[in-house]
Amino acid sequence: MAASDQQDIPEGTVQNILDQETLKWVFVGGKGGVGKTTCSSILSILLARVRPSVLIISTDPAHNLSDAFQQRFTKSPTLVNGFLNLYAMEVDPTVENEDIPGIDGQDNFVSELANAIPGIDEAMSFAEMLKLVQTMDYSVIVFDTAPTGHTLRLLQFPSTLEKGLAKMMTLKNKFGGLLSQMSRLFGAEDEFGEDAILGRLEGMKDVIEQVNKQFKDPRCAQRSYGCLNVVEQDLTTFICVCIPEFLSLYETERLVQELTKFEIDTHNIIINQVLYDEEVVQSKLLKARMRMQQKYIDQFYVLYDDFHITKLPLLPEEVCGVEALKSFASHFLTPYEPPVAKDTVEELEKRVNVLKQELRDAEAELERTRKGKQKA
C-alpha cells in the first residue's frame, strides 16, 4: 500500500470521539453478544477524562452495566465507584400502562386503543426517558443500546407515533361519536376522552421529534437544504460494535444503511474479539479462525474505508470491574500490537522438535491413506 493511501485511512482509534467537543449523544450498538456493554463502558470512562460530566444509560432489557462495573445500578443516575463525574443508570425501554403519563386504570378503553398501535409502548417509554435525560445537566450521554433490531425500532418511533395518530384519527372519523359516547358511559368524557388521549400522543410526538432533530446529522440537512447558510455542529454519533464474522458484518452493514436513512451520523466501527497471529500460537483451530477473521476484517476495510475502525483483541479473561475496564481502555486509543516473543535457544529447539514430530505424524498418516487406497 502506498504511503499516500495509508495517510488517507482514518486513524484506527476512538480519539476522534473524544476530540469532538460538540457531541451530546453517543449511541453504541450492534448485534447481540459482540461486546457492546464493555465498549460503551470503556467509552464512558474515556469521555469522563475529557468531559465535565458523563452519563451512561443501558436501554437493553438484559442489563449488563451492573456486571461490567461490578456495581448495582437502577433507573436513577448513580455515581460510578472511583469516579467523580461518571454516572450510570439502567432503564427498560418497555412500559406498562401505569407508567405512561396520563393513563391509568380509569380509562382502560382508551388505553387499550392507544397500546394497540405497534411499538407505541416502546416509543412512549423511550420518549419519557429522553425527556427526563434532557432535564439532566450532563455534558455527554452514552447509550448502551439493545441488539440491532430493538435499536432500529427505537429510531423509527417518530414515524411509529405519526402512523399511530393517523390510525386513531381514521377510527375517530369512521366511528363518529361512538368513542365519545363510550367515554361518557364510563364517566371519562372530559379528562379521558379521545381528544385528551390524542392530545397526549401529539405532545409525546412533539417531544420525540425534538429529540430526533438532535439525533440527526446536520451535514445531511445541509446537503438536503443547500440554501441554508447555517453552521451547525454534530450532536450525535453512533458507534457500531461487531466481531469479524459473516453475520456480524451483515448486521453492521444493515445498521449503517439504516442510520444513513435516518440521517444519523456514524463514522466509527469497533471490531471486537480479534485473534492475532502470534508466533506462540500452535493450535490448528486458532490458525483457521484467524484466517477466517482476517477475510472479514479485509471486507470491513473495503466497505468502510472512510470509517475509524478500531480492532480489539480477544482476551483469555473477561473484562469486568473498573480496573479491568481502565486497563483495556488503552486499546481504544492505541492500535493493539501483539507481543513479539523472544525465544531462548532451548525454546526454539523445543518448537523445532514439535514441528518435526508433527511432520512425521503427517507422513505416517499419508502412508496409511495410500495403502488403504491400494487395497481398495
Side-chain angles (χ1 to χ4, degrees), residues 141-162:
I141 297 166
V142 179
F143 288 88
D144 174 31
T145 69
T148 307
H150 298 275
T151 302
L152 293 180
R153 280 209 304 274
L154 292 178
L155 295 175
Q156 291 170 343
F157 54 63
S159 59
T160 298
L161 272 184
E162 189 174 356

Side-chain angles (χ1 to χ4, degrees), residues 34-83:
V34 297
K36 296 185 299 294
T37 299
T38 300
C39 291
S40 59
S41 300
I42 292 176
L43 193 64
S44 67
I45 290 174
L46 293 174
L47 284 167
R49 297 177 183 175
V50 296
R51 294 294 193 97
S53 59
V54 179
L55 173 66
I56 178 171
I57 301 177
S58 172
T59 61
D60 188 345
H63 297 302
N64 292 314
L65 271 187
S66 296
D67 298 324
F69 285 101
Q70 294 184 339
Q71 178 182 348
R72 177 71 179 140
F73 298 121
T74 64
K75 60 182 180 181
S76 299
T78 304
L79 186 65
V80 178
N81 293 335
F83 293 88

